[in-house]
Amino acid sequence: MANLITALRAASHVVVFTGAGVSAESGIPTFRDKQAGLWENFDAAELATPLAFARDPSFVWGWYEWRRGLVLKAEPNPGHRAIAAMQSRVPHFNLITQNVDDLHERGGSCEVIHLHGELSKPYCEGCHLPYSHPEAIPDMPSGSGRLQPPTCGACGAKIRPGVVWFGEPLPKASWKAARDAARHCDFFICCGTSALVQPAASLADMAMDAGATILQVNPNPTDLDSSATFTIRGPSGIVLPQLVADAWSAL
Ligand code: BJW
Ligand code: ZN
C-alpha cells in the first residue's frame, strides 16, 4: 500500500477509467446485475443491441426511460466525488467512463470522456438530429414496460437512445481521446468495471504497454487481476475517498 501511494503521488498523468460499479452505490444497477422488475427475465446485453431496438422499439425505449428515471433521481456517491477531487490534485488528469449516466459530472468532474454515449443525448436513428427529452422525470412504464419512442420532427424516423450498442463503433473523438490518454499516462486506475467489453477494456492494456502503474478497484475478481500492478478489493465509494486521503491529505 505504501508503494501504491508513493507511485500515485509521484504520477504526473493519472487516468481514471470507470464502469457501472462506480454508480452502483448510487442505486444504479450494474450491467451484469440481475435486472429489476419488468426486465428481470431479460439479459441487459440482449436489450443493448440495434437488433433488439429494431424488433421491439417500445420495449427497449421503455427500458432506457426507466433507467433514465433512476439516474435522474440518483445522487453521485463518495466514489464519484473522490474522482473529482483527484482531478485537482494531479498535474494532468483524464476521466474516461463507460457509464451512460451523468453522475461523474454531477459529482464535480469535468471533461468526462464518455465511451458508450449518454442517456441524456438521444437522437434520430434516421437523420441523427439530436432530440431533447421533456424536462419531467419519465413515469415508470407500467404493465408491459413498453413506451413508444418519439419520432423525429424533421424526418419522422424513430428517436433512439444516445448510447453505443453492441456491434456499433465508439464515438470517434471520445475513443481517440481515451487512447491518447491511456498511452501517455503513468498511473491508470480501473474502477468498477468487469473489463469484459471491448474495445474499452483494451485501454488498460494500452496503459500497461506504455509502462503505467495499473490500480484496479473492484469488490469482485476480474480478468485484470493477473495483470494489474495493484488491486484493492472493495467498493469504490469506500476505497477511492480513502485513496485520495492517503495520497494527498498530508500535503
Ligand atoms: C463495483 C461495485 C462497487 C460492483 N464499486 N465496483 C473483441 C473480442 C470479443 C468481442 C469483441 C471484441 N471487440 C468488440 C467486440 C464486441 C463487443 C464486445 O466487447 N463484446 C463482449 C461482450 C465480448 N463490443 C462492441 O460491440 C463494441 N463495438 C465495437 O467493437 O464496434 C466495432 C465496430 C467498428 C466499426 C464499425 C462497427 C463496429 C461496442 C460496445 C458497446 C457496449 N455498450 C454497453 C451498453 C451501453 C448502453 C447501455 O448502458 O445500455 O455498455 S454494454 C455494457 O457493458 C455497457 C457498459 O458500459 C459496458 C461495460 O460494463 P461495465 O461497466 O464493466 O459493467 P459490468 O456490469 O460488466 O461490471 C460492473 C463491475 O462493477 C463488476 O466487476 C462488479 O464487480 C463491479 N462493482 N459494485 C466498485 N460498489
Ligand atoms: Zn430525423
Side-chain angles (χ1 to χ4, degrees), residues 15 20 34 55 77 154 161 166 172 181 194 204 213 227-228:
V15 167
K34 191 168 161 41
R55 275 191 185 142
N77 66 58
F166 284 115
K172 248 190 193 148
S194 57
T213 300
S227 52

Side-chain angles (χ1 to χ4, degrees), residues 45-92:
E46 281 169 23
L47 293 176
T49 69
L51 190 62
F53 188 56
R55 275 191 185 142
D56 198 343
S58 59
F59 191 71
V60 173
W61 184 259
W63 182 57
Y64 277 96
E65 283 297 90
W66 169 72
R67 289 174 56 199
R68 195 168 68 85
L70 276 187
V71 168
L72 284 169
K73 289 180 197 144
E75 292 296 333
N77 66 58
H80 294 108
R81 292 200 194 89
I83 292 168
M86 227 181 264
Q87 186 152 20
S88 61
R89 286 172 169 81
V90 291
H92 192 174

Side-chain angles (χ1 to χ4, degrees), residues 18-22 24-25 30-33 44-45 48 63-64 67 98-100 116 119 163-170 191-199 217-222 234-237:
T18 64
V22 169
E25 288 156 86
T30 68
F31 223 79
R32 279 144 194 95
D33 273 347
W63 182 57
Y64 277 96
R67 289 174 56 199
Q98 300 168 89
N99 296 346
V100 296
H116 293 161
L119 282 175
V163 301
V164 180
W165 282 325
F166 284 115
E168 295 184 323
L170 272 49
C191 191
T193 176
S194 57
L196 288 173
V197 173
Q198 297 291 351
V217 178
N218 199 311
N220 299 305
T222 76
S236 49

Side-chain angles (χ1 to χ4, degrees), residues 124 126-129 152 154-157:
C124 168
C127 70
H128 292 194
L129 260 187
C152 173
C155 78

